[in-house]
Amino acid sequence: AQSVTQLGSHVSVSEGALVLLRCNYSSSVPPYLFWYVQYPNQGLQLLLKYTTGATLVKGINGFEAEFKKSETSFHLTKPSAHMSDAAEYFCAVSEISGGYQKVTFGTGTKLQVIP
Amino acid sequence: SQTIHQWPATLVQPVGSPLSLECTVEGTSNPNLYWYRQAAGRGLQLLFYSVGIGQISSEVPQNLSASRPQDRQFILSSKKLLLSDSGFYLCAWSGTASSYNEQFFGPGTRLTVL
């Protein structure tokens, strides 16, 4: 069974500071990993995904994540936080189960950006 | 391009009343469809998924049900709402079953049961 753990339900950073949101996963098969962002009262939007190949994945809005198999991690980073980055971020792992795509989401990390 | 719609956007219902939430997808055929519920601090809980018309699978037993009367229409229903049904309901779609396909989410419905 797959699972996702996001460390820290709330993270605060100053505007211009590094953003680091942590995600660890558990999967019995090679993982397909995703980061989604959710703005208040909206649906989720894909930031980036890892399937195979390059372990450093670049996404939208300047975010990137690195897949580290030895650490079973897929942490999300951004060099310089903007006020518009304030949102909730979800890490997810995907596998095929019973003929459908089963996606397991973490419990989310709310990012606060302090001016 | 593909779009996904949900309505209503917000809903306030008394306990014991029925529920019907609708989700439609445009611009794609035979999508896999999903209903999630998001409760505060709990992340996303998969409620139902569908790989085709009339094919519904439930992940969590509860007083909710889902139907897929058309290829790109997915409906979430209840005969009698409970207080615990309050939450943010998200519909999503993906392409053919593949682990590397991302899911595309609708704007959500905020349901408050009083």
Side-chain angles (χ1 to χ4, degrees):
Chain A
Q2 57 187 15
S3 66
V4 174
T5 301
Q6 289 185 241
L7 298 176
S9 59
H10 292 80
V11 170
S12 294
V13 299
S14 298
E15 189 175 15
L18 172 71
V19 176
L20 171 60
L21 304 182
R22 299 179 185 274
C23 172
N24 289 89
Y25 69 90
S26 173
S27 177
S28 59
V29 297
Y32 296 95
L33 298 160
F34 305 81
W35 274 101
Y36 288 85
V37 60
Q38 184 181 33
Y39 298 99
N41 294 310
Q42 295 186 25
L44 277 69
Q45 177 185 4
L46 182 72
L47 273 178
L48 50 81
K49 67 178 181 181
Y50 169 79
T51 54
T52 58
T55 56
L56 183 61
V57 180
K58 295 186 183 297
I60 62 172
N61 301 339
F63 285 93
E64 61 183 34
E66 185 171 11
F67 169 63
K68 292 187 176 180
K69 184 177 180 180
S70 61
E71 298 178 8
T72 60
S73 68
F74 191 55
H75 301 331
L76 182 70
T77 61
K78 182 174 180 178
S80 176
H82 294 171
M83 295 299 296
S84 60
D85 295 327
E88 190 161 17
Y89 293 80
F90 292 91
C91 182
V93 61
S94 172
E95 67 177 7
I96 296 299
S97 175
Y100 81 100
Q101 180 198 28
K102 181 174 182 178
V103 181
T104 301
F105 289 86
T107 52
T109 298
K110 285 189 177 179
L111 176 65
Q112 180 187 22
V113 181
I114 303 168
Chain B
S1 63
Q2 301 88 4
T3 56
I4 179 169
H5 305 278
Q6 286 185 246
W7 62 88
T10 60
L11 191 59
V12 180
Q13 292 285 92
V15 169
S17 63
L19 173 73
S20 181
L21 304 181
E22 189 165 345
C23 170
T24 59
V25 181
E26 297 177 354
T28 187
S29 296
N30 197 30
N32 293 332
L33 295 172
Y34 308 83
W35 277 112
Y36 290 90
R37 177 169 60 203
Q38 188 177 21
R42 293 188 179 183
L44 277 75
Q45 178 187 32
L46 178 63
L47 302 175
F48 300 95
Y49 67 91
S50 171
V51 298
I53 296 174
Q55 301 179 60
I56 309 295
S57 295
S58 173
E59 279 291 298
V60 182
Q62 55 212 325
N63 69 318
L64 298 173
S65 62
S67 62
R68 184 170 177 174
Q70 300 180 42
D71 180 45
R72 290 170 288 179
Q73 184 185 32
F74 205 23
I75 297 172
L76 183 69
S77 304
S78 174
K79 292 182 179 178
K80 288 186 178 182
L81 284 168
L82 306 173
L83 286 174
S84 58
D85 291 324
S86 293
F88 192 49
Y89 288 81
L90 290 163
C91 180
W93 75 271
S94 67
T96 55
S98 172
S99 289
Y100 57 80
N101 282 336
E102 65 263 36
Q103 294 188 353
F104 298 91
F105 287 81
T109 295
R110 174 75 59 190
L111 172 65
T112 303
V113 182
L114 301 176

